[in-house]
Amino acid sequence: METFLLLNRWLHIAAGFTGFFVAPIALLVRKGGPAHRLWGKVFFYAMVVAGSTAIVSASSKGLTFLLLTGIFSLYLAQFGYRSLQHKRMGQNQQPGLYDWASTVTGLLIFAGTLAYGLWSRPFNLAMVVFGAIGLMTTVRQLRGFRRPGPWPAGQWLRNHISGFVGSYIAAVSAFSATSLKFIPFPLNFLWPTLVLVPLLIWLQRRYAPKGEMVKL
């Protein structure tokens, strides 16, 4: 068991560092081009591995805080990746079973995350913030699935950006909380959100402005 956990730890570190350095490359290259698709896929699979190994490690050590962070990162990564399949949502495309199941699962997880943060003693601000963000994301997605007619232009792209950048924020937050001991809690967990959410908003407005058709 110790050997397995050690291998899991090194795999987590390798995947985490890969995602950490690959994400900026995907953001800098031309959006929709071959390089963007390549590095975006590398980032996605890196986050899948990093999130899965984090869940294994946190579960074995009883670290609820990091377990929820790993789940949060995994959900947002799949949310961003799956959004690429929603370009014609509401026209000749309807949400599939996977879309409903994953979103409802995310809703329950984030409701639990929010509850965990609210009822923790001492009060866990980081989990309240992440739980609230995740809850708003899943509620908005469920409303979008139920909405008659086509989605607003570029909505799938806004979701894609939110998912991938959000997953990156969660991963950096977990690294900061576990490794940057000189930053006091909860700032060590929240500073990536404070720094990167403005970037997320700028990217959405730059590449998927409301009311305009977006082509990639």
Side-chain angles (χ1 to χ4, degrees):
M1 186 64 178
E2 290 184 5
T3 301
F4 171 75
L5 291 177
L6 180 61
L7 291 174
N8 182 79
R9 179 172 180 268
W10 282 109
L11 183 60
H12 174 74
I13 292 172
F17 269 93
T18 299
F20 183 81
F21 290 108
V22 161
I25 298 176
L27 290 175
L28 289 173
V29 298
R30 184 175 67 84
K31 305 302 176 284
H36 179 75
R37 292 190 178 96
L38 170 63
W39 294 115
K41 286 182 179 179
V42 172
F43 171 75
F44 170 71
Y45 288 114
M47 288 298 96
V48 168
V49 173
S52 300
T53 50
I55 291 172
V56 171
S57 180
S59 299
S60 66
K61 298 178 181 179
L63 302 175
T64 306
F65 183 70
L66 292 179
L67 172 66
L68 293 173
T69 305
I71 295 173
F72 186 77
S73 178
L74 259 182
Y75 178 83
L76 288 178
Q78 71 80 34
F79 171 66
Y81 193 77
R82 182 66 179 176
S83 295
L84 295 171
Q85 308 301 318
H86 294 159
K87 297 180 182 180
R88 295 177 178 83
M89 188 65 69
Q91 298 175 3
N92 59 345
Q93 181 183 7
Q94 297 296 322
L97 178 61
Y98 174 85
D99 297 308
W100 287 108
S102 63
T103 307
V104 170
T105 300
L107 180 74
L108 297 175
I109 289 171
F110 296 132
T113 302
L114 179 60
Y116 172 77
L118 290 172
W119 272 279
S120 291
R121 294 295 177 269
F123 176 75
N124 195 321
L125 178 62
M127 286 296 94
V128 169
V129 171
F130 272 26
I133 292 173
L135 202 57
M136 287 188 293
T137 299
T138 51
V139 168
R140 186 171 64 247
Q141 191 72 348
L142 287 171
R143 289 176 62 186
F145 288 158
R146 296 185 60 189
R147 182 180 184 274
W151 277 10
Q155 183 60 51
W156 67 270
L157 182 53
R158 285 188 286 275
N159 291 346
H160 172 64
I161 294 170
S162 294
F164 272 21
V165 176
S167 179
Y168 185 66
I169 291 173
V172 175
S173 298
F175 170 76
S176 176
T178 56
S179 302
L180 304 183
K181 302 296 187 181
F182 58 91
I183 304 177
F185 183 86
L187 185 60
N188 61 344
F189 203 86
L190 293 176
W191 73 260
T193 300
L194 298 175
V195 172
L196 294 174
V197 164
L199 173 64
L200 187 158
I201 294 172
W202 179 85
L203 288 169
Q204 288 183 328
R205 291 178 177 175
R206 171 68 176 81
Y207 293 104
K210 292 184 178 181
E212 295 183 16
M213 294 301 296
V214 179
K215 296 181 180 180
L216 282 185

